[in-house]
Coordinates of all heavy atoms in Angstrom, one line a residue:
L1 N -34.5 46.4 62.8 CA -34.0 45.0 62.8 C -34.8 44.1 63.8 O -35.0 44.5 64.9 CB -32.5 45.0 63.2 CG -31.5 45.4 62.2 CD1 -30.1 45.3 62.8 CD2 -31.5 44.6 61.0
S2 N -35.1 43.0 63.3 CA -35.7 42.0 64.2 C -34.7 41.2 65.0 O -33.5 41.2 64.6 CB -36.6 41.1 63.4 OG -35.8 40.2 62.7
A3 N -35.1 40.6 66.1 CA -34.2 39.8 66.9 C -33.6 38.7 66.1 O -32.5 38.3 66.2 CB -34.9 39.3 68.1
A4 N -34.5 38.1 65.2 CA -34.0 37.0 64.3 C -32.9 37.3 63.4 O -32.0 36.5 63.1 CB -35.2 36.5 63.5
A5 N -32.8 38.6 63.0 CA -31.7 39.0 62.1 C -30.3 38.9 62.8 O -29.3 38.9 62.2 CB -32.0 40.4 61.6
N6 N -30.3 39.0 64.1 CA -29.1 39.0 64.9 C -28.7 37.6 65.4 O -27.7 37.5 66.1 CB -29.2 40.0 66.1 CG -29.3 41.4 65.6 OD1 -28.7 41.7 64.6 ND2 -30.1 42.2 66.3
E7 N -29.5 36.6 65.1 CA -29.1 35.3 65.6 C -28.0 34.7 64.8 O -27.9 34.8 63.6 CB -30.4 34.3 65.5 CG -31.4 34.7 66.5 CD -32.6 33.8 66.5 OE1 -32.5 32.7 65.8 OE2 -33.7 34.1 67.0
I8 N -27.1 34.0 65.5 CA -26.0 33.3 64.9 C -26.1 31.8 65.2 O -26.2 31.5 66.3 CB -24.7 33.9 65.4 CG1 -24.5 35.4 65.0 CG2 -23.5 33.1 64.8 CD1 -23.4 36.1 65.7
E9 N -25.9 31.0 64.2 CA -25.9 29.6 64.4 C -24.5 29.1 64.7 O -23.6 29.4 63.9 CB -26.4 28.9 63.2 CG -26.4 27.4 63.3 CD -26.9 26.7 62.1 OE1 -27.6 27.3 61.2 OE2 -26.6 25.5 61.9
L10 N -24.3 28.5 65.9 CA -23.0 28.0 66.2 C -22.9 26.5 66.0 O -23.8 25.8 66.3 CB -22.7 28.3 67.7 CG -22.7 29.7 68.1 CD1 -22.5 29.9 69.6 CD2 -21.6 30.5 67.4
T11 N -21.8 26.1 65.3 CA -21.7 24.7 65.0 C -20.4 24.2 65.7 O -19.4 24.8 65.6 CB -21.5 24.5 63.5 OG1 -22.7 25.0 62.9 CG2 -21.4 23.0 63.1
Q12 N -20.5 23.0 66.3 CA -19.3 22.4 66.9 C -18.5 21.8 65.8 O -19.0 20.9 65.0 CB -19.7 21.3 67.9 CG -18.6 20.6 68.6 CD -18.0 21.4 69.6 OE1 -18.6 22.3 70.2 NE2 -16.7 21.2 69.9
L13 N -17.3 22.3 65.6 CA -16.4 21.8 64.5 C -15.7 20.5 64.9 O -15.5 20.2 66.1 CB -15.3 22.8 64.2 CG -15.9 24.2 63.6 CD1 -14.7 25.1 63.3 CD2 -16.7 24.0 62.4
V14 N -15.4 19.6 64.0 CA -14.8 18.3 64.2 C -13.5 18.3 63.4 O -13.4 19.0 62.4 CB -15.7 17.2 63.9 CG1 -17.0 17.2 64.8 CG2 -16.1 17.2 62.4
P15 N -12.6 17.4 63.8 CA -11.3 17.4 63.1 C -11.3 16.5 61.8 O -12.1 15.6 61.7 CB -10.3 16.8 64.1 CG -11.2 15.9 64.9 CD -12.6 16.5 65.0
I16 N -10.4 16.8 60.9 CA -9.9 15.9 59.9 C -8.4 16.0 60.2 O -7.7 17.0 60.1 CB -10.1 16.4 58.5 CG1 -11.6 16.3 58.2 CG2 -9.3 15.5 57.5 CD1 -12.0 16.8 56.8
D17 N -7.8 14.9 60.7 CA -6.4 14.8 61.1 C -5.7 13.9 60.1 O -6.2 13.0 59.5 CB -6.3 14.1 62.5 CG -6.8 15.0 63.6 OD1 -7.0 16.2 63.4 OD2 -7.1 14.4 64.7
G18 N -4.4 14.2 59.9 CA -3.6 13.4 59.0 C -2.2 13.9 58.9 O -1.7 14.6 59.7
Q19 N -1.5 13.5 57.8 CA -0.2 13.9 57.5 C 0.1 14.1 56.0 O -0.5 13.4 55.2 CB 0.8 12.8 58.0 CG 2.3 13.2 57.9 CD 3.2 12.3 58.5 OE1 2.9 11.1 58.6 NE2 4.4 12.8 58.9
V20 N 0.9 15.1 55.7 CA 1.3 15.3 54.4 C 2.7 14.8 54.2 O 3.6 15.2 55.0 CB 1.3 16.8 54.0 CG1 1.9 17.1 52.6 CG2 -0.2 17.3 54.1
S21 N 3.0 14.0 53.2 CA 4.3 13.4 53.0 C 4.8 13.8 51.6 O 4.0 14.0 50.6 CB 4.3 11.9 53.1 OG 3.8 11.5 54.4
A22 N 6.1 13.8 51.5 CA 6.8 14.0 50.1 C 6.7 12.6 49.5 O 6.4 11.6 50.1 CB 8.2 14.4 50.3
P23 N 7.0 12.5 48.2 CA 6.9 11.3 47.5 C 7.8 10.2 48.1 O 7.5 9.0 48.0 CB 7.4 11.6 46.0 CG 6.9 13.0 45.9 CD 7.2 13.7 47.2
F24 N 8.8 10.6 48.8 CA 9.7 9.6 49.4 C 9.4 9.3 50.8 O 10.1 8.6 51.6 CB 11.2 10.0 49.2 CG 11.4 11.4 49.6 CD1 11.7 11.9 50.9 CD2 11.4 12.4 48.6 CE1 11.9 13.2 51.2 CE2 11.6 13.8 48.9 CZ 11.8 14.1 50.2
G25 N 8.2 9.8 51.3 CA 7.7 9.4 52.6 C 7.9 10.3 53.8 O 7.5 10.0 54.9
V26 N 8.7 11.3 53.7 CA 9.0 12.2 54.8 C 7.9 13.3 55.0 O 7.5 13.8 54.0 CB 10.4 12.9 54.6 CG1 10.7 13.9 55.7 CG2 11.5 11.8 54.5
G27 N 7.5 13.5 56.2 CA 6.5 14.5 56.5 C 7.0 15.9 56.0 O 8.2 16.2 56.1
V28 N 6.0 16.7 55.5 CA 6.4 18.1 55.0 C 5.8 19.1 55.9 O 4.5 19.2 56.0 CB 5.9 18.2 53.5 CG1 6.3 19.6 53.0 CG2 6.4 17.1 52.7
A29 N 6.6 20.0 56.4 CA 6.1 21.1 57.3 C 5.7 22.3 56.4 O 6.1 22.5 55.3 CB 7.3 21.5 58.2
G30 N 4.7 23.1 57.0 CA 4.3 24.3 56.4 C 3.5 24.3 55.2 O 3.4 25.2 54.4
V31 N 2.9 23.1 54.9 CA 2.0 23.0 53.7 C 0.7 23.7 54.1 O 0.0 23.5 55.1 CB 1.7 21.5 53.4 CG1 0.7 21.4 52.2 CG2 3.0 20.8 53.0
Q32 N 0.3 24.6 53.2 CA -1.0 25.3 53.4 C -2.1 24.4 52.8 O -2.1 24.0 51.7 CB -1.0 26.7 52.6 CG -2.2 27.5 52.8 CD -2.3 28.0 54.2 OE1 -1.4 28.4 54.9 NE2 -3.5 28.0 54.8
L33 N -3.1 24.1 53.7 CA -4.2 23.2 53.3 C -5.5 23.9 53.2 O -5.8 24.9 53.9 CB -4.3 22.1 54.4 CG -3.1 21.2 54.6 CD1 -3.3 20.4 55.8 CD2 -2.8 20.4 53.4
Q34 N -6.4 23.3 52.3 CA -7.8 23.8 52.2 C -8.7 22.6 52.2 O -8.5 21.7 51.4 CB -8.0 24.6 50.9 CG -7.7 26.0 51.0 CD -8.2 26.7 49.8 OE1 -8.4 26.2 48.7 NE2 -8.5 28.0 49.9
A35 N -9.7 22.6 53.0 CA -10.8 21.6 52.9 C -12.0 22.4 52.4 O -12.5 23.3 53.0 CB -11.1 21.0 54.3
V36 N -12.5 22.0 51.2 CA -13.6 22.6 50.6 C -14.8 21.6 50.7 O -14.7 20.4 50.3 CB -13.4 22.9 49.1 CG1 -14.6 23.5 48.4 CG2 -12.2 23.8 49.0
E37 N -15.9 22.1 51.3 CA -17.1 21.2 51.4 C -17.6 20.8 50.1 O -17.8 21.6 49.2 CB -18.2 22.0 52.2 CG -19.3 21.1 52.6 CD -20.3 21.8 53.5 OE1 -19.9 22.5 54.4 OE2 -21.5 21.6 53.3
T38 N -17.8 19.5 49.9 CA -18.2 18.9 48.6 C -19.6 19.5 48.1 O -19.7 19.9 46.9 CB -18.3 17.4 48.7 OG1 -17.1 16.9 49.1 CG2 -18.6 16.8 47.3
E39 N -20.5 19.6 49.0 CA -21.9 20.1 48.6 C -22.0 21.6 48.6 O -23.0 22.1 48.1 CB -22.9 19.4 49.5 CG -23.0 17.9 49.4 CD -23.4 17.4 48.0 OE1 -24.3 18.0 47.4 OE2 -22.8 16.5 47.5
A40 N -21.1 22.3 49.2 CA -21.2 23.7 49.3 C -19.8 24.3 49.2 O -19.1 24.6 50.2 CB -21.8 24.2 50.7
P41 N -19.3 24.4 47.9 CA -17.9 24.8 47.7 C -17.5 26.2 48.2 O -16.4 26.6 48.3 CB -17.8 24.8 46.2 CG -19.0 24.3 45.6 CD -20.0 24.1 46.7
H42 N -18.5 27.0 48.6 CA -18.2 28.3 49.2 C -17.7 28.2 50.7 O -17.2 29.1 51.3 CB -19.4 29.2 49.2 CG -20.6 28.8 50.0 ND1 -21.4 27.8 49.5 CD2 -21.0 29.1 51.2 CE1 -22.4 27.6 50.4 NE2 -22.1 28.3 51.5
R43 N -17.9 27.0 51.3 CA -17.5 26.7 52.7 C -16.1 26.1 52.6 O -15.9 25.0 52.2 CB -18.4 25.8 53.4 CG -19.8 26.5 53.6 CD -20.7 25.7 54.4 NE -20.2 25.7 55.8 CZ -20.9 25.1 56.8 NH1 -22.0 24.5 56.6 NH2 -20.4 25.2 58.0
V44 N -15.1 26.9 53.0 CA -13.7 26.5 53.0 C -13.1 26.6 54.4 O -13.3 27.6 55.1 CB -12.9 27.4 52.0 CG1 -11.5 27.0 51.9 CG2 -13.5 27.3 50.6
F45 N -12.3 25.6 54.7 CA -11.6 25.6 56.0 C -10.1 25.5 55.7 O -9.7 24.6 54.9 CB -12.1 24.4 56.9 CG -13.6 24.5 57.2 CD1 -14.5 24.0 56.3 CD2 -14.0 25.1 58.4 CE1 -15.9 24.0 56.6 CE2 -15.4 25.1 58.7 CZ -16.3 24.6 57.8
D46 N -9.3 26.3 56.3 CA -7.9 26.4 56.1 C -7.1 25.9 57.2 O -7.5 25.9 58.4 CB -7.5 27.8 55.8 CG -8.1 28.4 54.5 OD1 -8.1 27.7 53.5 OD2 -8.5 29.6 54.6
G47 N -5.9 25.4 56.9 CA -4.9 25.0 58.0 C -3.5 24.9 57.4 O -3.3 25.1 56.2
R48 N -2.6 24.5 58.2 CA -1.2 24.3 57.8 C -0.6 23.1 58.6 O -1.0 22.9 59.7 CB -0.5 25.6 58.2 CG 1.0 25.7 57.8 CD 1.6 27.0 58.1 NE 1.0 28.1 57.5 CZ 1.4 28.6 56.3 NH1 2.3 28.0 55.6 NH2 0.8 29.6 55.7
T49 N 0.3 22.5 57.9 CA 1.0 21.3 58.6 C 2.0 21.8 59.6 O 2.6 22.8 59.5 CB 1.7 20.4 57.6 OG1 2.7 21.1 56.8 CG2 0.7 19.8 56.6
R50 N 2.2 20.9 60.6 CA 3.1 21.2 61.7 C 4.5 20.8 61.2 O 4.7 20.3 60.1 CB 2.8 20.4 62.9 CG 1.4 20.7 63.5 CD 1.1 19.8 64.7 NE -0.3 19.9 65.1 CZ -1.3 19.0 64.7 NH1 -1.0 18.0 64.0 NH2 -2.5 19.2 65.1
W51 N 5.5 20.9 62.1 CA 6.9 20.6 61.7 C 7.1 19.2 61.2 O 8.0 19.0 60.4 CB 7.8 20.8 63.0 CG 7.5 19.8 64.1 CD1 6.6 20.0 65.1 CD2 8.1 18.6 64.3 NE1 6.6 18.9 65.9 CE2 7.5 18.0 65.4 CE3 9.1 17.8 63.6 CZ2 7.8 16.7 65.9 CZ3 9.4 16.6 64.1 CH2 8.8 16.0 65.2
D52 N 6.3 18.2 61.6 CA 6.4 16.9 61.2 C 5.5 16.5 60.0 O 5.4 15.3 59.7 CB 6.3 15.9 62.4 CG 4.9 16.0 63.0 OD1 4.1 16.9 62.6 OD2 4.6 15.2 63.9
G53 N 4.8 17.4 59.5 CA 3.8 17.2 58.4 C 2.4 16.8 58.8 O 1.6 16.6 58.0
T54 N 2.2 16.7 60.1 CA 0.8 16.4 60.6 C 0.0 17.6 60.6 O 0.5 18.7 60.6 CB 0.9 15.8 62.0 OG1 1.4 16.7 62.9 CG2 1.6 14.4 62.0
F55 N -1.3 17.4 60.5 CA -2.3 18.5 60.5 C -3.6 18.1 61.2 O -3.9 16.9 61.4 CB -2.6 19.0 59.1 CG -3.3 18.0 58.3 CD1 -4.7 17.9 58.3 CD2 -2.6 17.1 57.5 CE1 -5.3 16.9 57.5 CE2 -3.2 16.1 56.7 CZ -4.6 16.1 56.7
S56 N -4.3 19.1 61.6 CA -5.7 18.9 62.1 C -6.5 20.1 61.6 O -6.4 21.2 62.1 CB -5.7 18.9 63.7 OG -7.0 18.6 64.1
L57 N -7.3 19.8 60.6 CA -8.3 20.8 60.1 C -9.6 20.7 60.9 O -10.1 19.6 61.2 CB -8.6 20.5 58.7 CG -7.4 20.7 57.7 CD1 -7.8 20.1 56.3 CD2 -7.0 22.1 57.6
R58 N -10.1 21.8 61.3 CA -11.4 21.8 62.0 C -12.5 22.2 61.0 O -12.4 23.2 60.4 CB -11.4 22.8 63.2 CG -10.2 22.7 64.1 CD -10.3 21.4 64.9 NE -11.4 21.5 65.9 CZ -11.7 20.5 66.7 NH1 -11.1 19.3 66.6 NH2 -12.7 20.6 67.5
V59 N -13.4 21.3 60.8 CA -14.5 21.4 59.8 C -15.9 21.2 60.4 O -16.0 20.6 61.5 CB -14.2 20.4 58.6 CG1 -12.9 20.7 57.9 CG2 -14.3 19.0 59.1
A60 N -16.9 21.5 59.6 CA -18.3 21.3 60.0 C -18.5 19.8 60.0 O -18.0 19.1 59.1 CB -19.2 22.0 59.1
P61 N -19.3 19.3 60.9 CA -19.6 17.8 61.0 C -20.5 17.4 59.9 O -21.2 18.1 59.3 CB -20.2 17.7 62.4 CG -20.8 19.0 62.7 CD -20.0 20.0 62.0
D62 N -20.6 16.0 59.7 CA -21.5 15.4 58.9 C -21.5 15.8 57.4 O -22.5 15.9 56.8 CB -23.0 15.6 59.4 CG -23.1 15.0 60.8 OD1 -22.5 14.0 61.1 OD2 -23.8 15.7 61.6
R63 N -20.3 16.1 57.0 CA -20.1 16.6 55.6 C -18.9 15.9 55.0 O -18.0 15.4 55.8 CB -20.0 18.1 55.5 CG -21.3 18.8 55.9 CD -21.1 20.3 55.9 NE -22.4 20.9 56.2 CZ -22.9 21.2 57.4 NH1 -22.3 20.8 58.5 NH2 -24.1 21.8 57.5
S64 N -18.7 16.0 53.7 CA -17.5 15.5 53.1 C -16.8 16.6 52.4 O -17.4 17.7 52.1 CB -17.7 14.4 52.1 OG -18.5 14.8 51.0
Y65 N -15.4 16.5 52.2 CA -14.6 17.6 51.8 C -13.6 17.1 50.7 O -13.2 15.9 50.7 CB -13.8 18.1 53.0 CG -14.7 18.7 54.0 CD1 -15.2 18.0 55.0 CD2 -15.0 20.1 53.9 CE1 -16.1 18.6 55.9 CE2 -15.9 20.7 54.8 CZ -16.4 19.9 55.8 OH -17.3 20.5 56.7
V66 N -13.2 18.0 49.9 CA -12.0 17.8 49.0 C -10.9 18.6 49.7 O -11.0 19.8 50.0 CB -12.3 18.4 47.6 CG1 -11.0 18.3 46.8 CG2 -13.4 17.7 47.0
I67 N -9.8 17.9 49.9 CA -8.6 18.5 50.6 C -7.5 18.7 49.5 O -7.2 17.8 48.8 CB -8.1 17.7 51.8 CG1 -9.2 17.6 52.8 CG2 -6.9 18.4 52.4 CD1 -8.9 16.8 54.0
S68 N -7.0 19.9 49.5 CA -5.9 20.2 48.5 C -5.0 21.2 49.3 O -5.2 21.6 50.4 CB -6.5 20.9 47.3 OG -7.1 22.1 47.6
G69 N -3.9 21.5 48.6 CA -2.9 22.4 49.2 C -1.7 22.5 48.4 O -1.6 22.0 47.3
Q70 N -0.8 23.3 49.0 CA 0.5 23.6 48.3 C 1.6 23.8 49.3 O 1.4 24.5 50.4 CB 0.3 24.9 47.5 CG 1.5 25.2 46.6 CD 1.2 26.3 45.6 OE1 0.1 26.6 45.4 NE2 2.3 26.8 45.0
A71 N 2.8 23.2 49.1 CA 3.9 23.4 49.9 C 4.5 24.8 49.7 O 4.3 25.4 48.7 CB 5.0 22.3 49.7
A72 N 5.3 25.2 50.6 CA 6.0 26.5 50.5 C 6.9 26.5 49.3 O 7.1 27.6 48.7 CB 6.8 26.8 51.8
S73 N 7.4 25.4 48.9 CA 8.2 25.2 47.7 C 7.5 25.4 46.4 O 8.0 25.5 45.3 CB 8.9 23.9 47.7 OG 7.9 22.9 47.5
G74 N 6.1 25.5 46.5 CA 5.3 25.6 45.3 C 4.7 24.3 44.8 O 3.9 24.2 43.9
H75 N 5.2 23.2 45.3 CA 4.7 21.8 44.9 C 3.3 21.6 45.4 O 3.0 21.8 46.6 CB 5.6 20.7 45.5 CG 6.9 20.6 44.8 ND1 8.0 21.4 45.1 CD2 7.3 19.9 43.7 CE1 9.0 21.1 44.3 NE2 8.6 20.2 43.5
P76 N 2.3 21.3 44.5 CA 0.9 21.1 45.0 C 0.8 19.7 45.5 O 1.5 18.8 45.3 CB 0.1 21.2 43.7 CG 1.1 20.9 42.6 CD 2.5 21.3 43.1
L77 N -0.3 19.5 46.3 CA -0.7 18.2 46.8 C -1.6 17.5 45.8 O -2.2 18.2 44.9 CB -1.6 18.4 48.1 CG -1.0 18.8 49.4 CD1 -2.1 19.0 50.4 CD2 0.0 17.7 49.8
L78 N -1.5 16.2 45.8 CA -2.5 15.4 45.1 C -3.8 15.6 45.8 O -3.9 15.2 47.0 CB -2.1 14.0 45.0 CG -0.9 13.6 44.2 CD1 -0.4 12.2 44.5 CD2 -1.1 13.8 42.7
P79 N -4.9 16.2 45.2 CA -6.1 16.4 46.0 C -6.8 15.1 46.4 O -6.7 14.1 45.7 CB -7.0 17.1 45.0 CG -6.2 17.6 43.9 CD -5.0 16.7 43.9
V80 N -7.4 15.1 47.5 CA -8.1 13.9 48.1 C -9.6 14.3 48.2 O -9.9 15.3 48.8 CB -7.5 13.4 49.4 CG1 -8.3 12.3 50.0 CG2 -6.1 13.1 49.3
R81 N -10.4 13.5 47.6 CA -11.9 13.8 47.5 C -12.6 12.9 48.5 O -12.2 11.8 48.9 CB -12.4 13.5 46.1 CG -11.8 14.4 45.1 CD -12.4 14.2 43.7 NE -11.7 15.0 42.7 CZ -11.7 16.3 42.6 NH1 -12.4 17.0 43.5 NH2 -11.0 16.9 41.7
D82 N -13.8 13.4 48.9 CA -14.7 12.6 49.7 C -14.1 12.2 51.1 O -14.3 11.1 51.6 CB -15.3 11.4 49.0 CG -16.0 11.7 47.8 OD1 -16.8 12.7 47.8 OD2 -15.9 11.0 46.7
V83 N -13.4 13.2 51.7 CA -12.9 13.0 53.0 C -14.0 13.4 54.0 O -14.5 14.5 54.0 CB -11.6 13.8 53.3 CG1 -11.1 13.6 54.7 CG2 -10.5 13.5 52.3
A84 N -14.4 12.4 54.9 CA -15.5 12.7 55.8 C -15.0 13.5 57.0 O -13.9 13.2 57.5 CB -16.1 11.4 56.3
A85 N -15.8 14.4 57.5 CA -15.5 15.1 58.8 C -15.3 14.0 59.8 O -16.1 13.0 59.9 CB -16.6 16.0 59.1
G86 N -14.3 14.1 60.7 CA -14.0 13.2 61.7 C -13.0 12.1 61.3 O -12.6 11.3 62.1
T87 N -12.5 12.2 60.1 CA -11.4 11.3 59.6 C -10.2 11.5 60.5 O -9.7 12.7 60.7 CB -11.1 11.5 58.1 OG1 -12.3 11.2 57.4 CG2 -9.9 10.6 57.7
L88 N -9.5 10.5 61.0 CA -8.4 10.6 61.9 C -7.0 10.3 61.3 O -6.0 10.5 61.9 CB -8.6 9.8 63.1 CG -9.9 10.1 63.9 CD1 -10.0 9.2 65.1 CD2 -9.8 11.6 64.4
N89 N -7.0 9.7 60.1 CA -5.7 9.5 59.5 C -5.7 9.7 58.0 O -5.4 8.7 57.2 CB -5.1 8.1 59.9 CG -6.0 7.0 59.5 OD1 -7.1 7.2 59.0 ND2 -5.6 5.7 59.6
C90 N -5.9 10.9 57.6 CA -5.9 11.2 56.2 C -4.5 11.4 55.7 O -3.8 12.2 56.2 CB -6.7 12.5 56.0 SG -6.9 13.0 54.3
E91 N -4.1 10.6 54.7 CA -2.8 10.6 54.1 C -2.8 11.5 52.8 O -3.5 11.1 51.9 CB -2.3 9.2 53.8 CG -2.0 8.4 55.1 CD -0.8 8.9 55.9 OE1 0.2 9.4 55.3 OE2 -0.9 8.8 57.1
L92 N -2.0 12.5 52.8 CA -1.9 13.4 51.7 C -0.4 13.3 51.2 O 0.5 13.2 52.0 CB -2.3 14.8 52.0 CG -3.7 15.0 52.6 CD1 -3.8 16.4 53.1 CD2 -4.7 14.7 51.5
R93 N -0.2 13.4 49.9 CA 1.1 13.4 49.3 C 1.3 14.6 48.3 O 0.4 15.0 47.6 CB 1.4 12.1 48.5 CG 1.3 10.9 49.4 CD 2.5 10.0 49.0 NE 2.4 8.8 49.9 CZ 3.3 8.6 50.8 NH1 4.3 9.5 51.1 NH2 3.3 7.5 51.6
L94 N 2.5 15.1 48.3 CA 2.9 16.1 47.3 C 3.0 15.4 46.0 O 3.4 14.3 45.9 CB 4.2 16.8 47.6 CG 4.2 17.6 48.9 CD1 5.7 18.2 49.1 CD2 3.3 18.8 48.8
K95 N 2.6 16.2 44.9 CA 2.8 15.6 43.5 C 4.3 15.4 43.3 O 5.1 16.3 43.7 CB 2.2 16.6 42.5 CG 0.7 16.6 42.5 CD 0.2 17.4 41.3 CE -1.3 17.4 41.3 NZ -1.8 18.2 40.2
P96 N 4.7 14.3 42.7 CA 6.1 14.1 42.4 C 6.7 15.1 41.4 O 6.0 15.7 40.7 CB 6.2 12.7 41.8 CG 4.8 12.2 41.7 CD 3.9 13.2 42.2

């Protein structure tokens, strides 16, 4: 093995912050989220909403993502496309 084979590239992750709401506007806790990189769909970042429906996904910088997810009840989210890394108030809603 060469030394180069053991090198690991470290990337400083940045947030995508926001909130998941039900159709009537109340935050939804425990929603499992996925941010899939638009240009490299094999790069997936996972997270879960807090008690008040807020979340903070840590993703690679300078890229855009499709965010989707599903509530514990089985209700899916309306996917949001082209969310930029560093977005601070991404609003997501459950499908009615």
Side-chain angles (χ1 to χ4, degrees):
L1 283 182
S2 70
N6 293 325
E7 289 181 15
I8 297 173
E9 181 182 337
L10 297 177
T11 301
Q12 180 76 27
L13 299 179
V14 297
I16 294 176
D17 293 339
Q19 184 173 28
V20 174
S21 300
F24 45 87
V26 176
V28 182
V31 176
Q32 186 66 40
L33 300 170
Q34 274 194 335
V36 178
E37 191 176 315
T38 305
E39 297 297 319
H42 64 280
R43 294 187 71 175
V44 178
F45 299 86
D46 295 315
R48 185 178 296 273
T49 59
R50 300 178 192 98
W51 66 272
D52 60 354
T54 60
F55 65 87
S56 184
L57 294 169
R58 305 295 290 177
V59 298
D62 302 321
R63 293 176 174 87
S64 64
Y65 295 87
V66 175
I67 300 179
S68 61
Q70 186 169 348
S73 65
H75 287 85
L77 285 176
L78 293 167
V80 177
R81 301 187 184 287
D82 299 321
V83 179
T87 298
L88 298 179
N89 59 355
C90 182
E91 292 291 326
L92 303 171
R93 296 224 179 252
L94 293 179
K95 286 186 179 180

